[in-house]
Amino acid sequence: MEPGEHTALQQPLEQMDLEVREIPPQSRGMYSNRMRSYKQEMGKLETDFKRSRIAYSDEVRNELLGDDGNSSENQLIKLREERAHLLDNTERLERSSRRLEAGYQIAVETEQIGQEMLENLSHDREKIQRARERLRETDANLGKSSRVLTGMLRRSQKRCPFGILLPLAVNQNGESDAWSWQGCDEDVSRT
């Protein structure tokens, strides 16, 4: 494996590892396990590739130096086996790269979803805070209204001796009885 190939494959792995570290702890375990398996597979592929490369370079060297310990037919079979092994390793490396890219895409999508959720939660928090403020204002207004009504009731009781009967004189339709208001007004005008 060329030095450039190694860094090209390591960079997405390192980036994904950083992304996994930023995922919330409850989801991180699954992605951490995937990252470990990707790294292990990458290590195996690199080792296999190095072995194949060394074996191939040894055979090429022997061929160039004329070390003909084996028959040419055996060497040809061996070269074909090594070539097949190299092609197999290359395929596995490409599959691993695709899986790494897919894992990276999942991590990016997860991050985007997390951002959207945080924004939604922030908006919901603002709405709840505004609703609480409105409730506080409503509570304060109800308290003021209660004090005003209590004051009005006390004043009406002082002015009209039958003031306590006034609220009872309202019939079920919400209309007041004429006699109770007139009687009370007459009492007020006399005093």
Side-chain angles (χ1 to χ4, degrees), residues 70-88:
N70 298 329
S71 70
S72 61
E73 206 171 292
N74 286 341
Q75 285 180 341
L76 187 59
I77 292 171
K78 203 172 198 182
L79 284 174
R80 286 181 184 157
E81 288 174 355
E82 288 176 4
R83 185 168 189 256
H85 187 67
L86 281 172
L87 289 173
D88 185 45

Side-chain angles (χ1 to χ4, degrees), residues 13-72:
L13 269 177
E14 291 170 358
Q15 183 128 16
M16 286 174 59
D17 196 28
L18 290 173
E19 294 288 336
V20 167
R21 289 181 189 168
E22 294 177 10
I23 293 175
Q26 59 269 24
S27 303
R28 191 179 306 158
M30 177 179 67
Y31 294 109
S32 294
N33 290 336
R34 284 185 185 175
M35 284 302 300
R36 266 189 245 112
S37 70
Y38 292 153
K39 287 179 182 179
Q40 288 173 352
E41 190 169 341
M42 182 76 161
K44 288 177 187 176
L45 290 173
E46 286 176 348
T47 304
D48 288 347
F49 187 76
K50 287 177 186 175
R51 284 184 194 150
S52 298
R53 191 170 176 187
I54 290 170
Y56 181 74
S57 65
D58 285 346
E59 290 208 13
V60 169
R61 189 189 77 225
N62 288 339
E63 195 174 298
L64 289 174
L65 294 175
D67 185 12
D68 227 1
N70 298 329
S71 70
S72 61

Side-chain angles (χ1 to χ4, degrees), residues 16 19 32 41 48 75 93 116 119-120 127 129-130 132 136 141 146 149-150 155 162 169 171 173 177 189:
M16 286 174 59
E19 294 288 336
S32 294
E41 190 169 341
D48 288 347
Q75 285 180 341
L93 192 58
E116 290 173 9
E119 289 174 11
N120 289 342
K127 287 178 185 176
Q129 287 176 338
R130 284 193 302 265
R132 279 187 183 160
R136 285 185 190 118
N141 289 338
S146 176
L149 286 174
T150 303
R155 275 182 262 150
F162 301 106
N171 66 16
N173 294 330
D177 291 333
S189 61

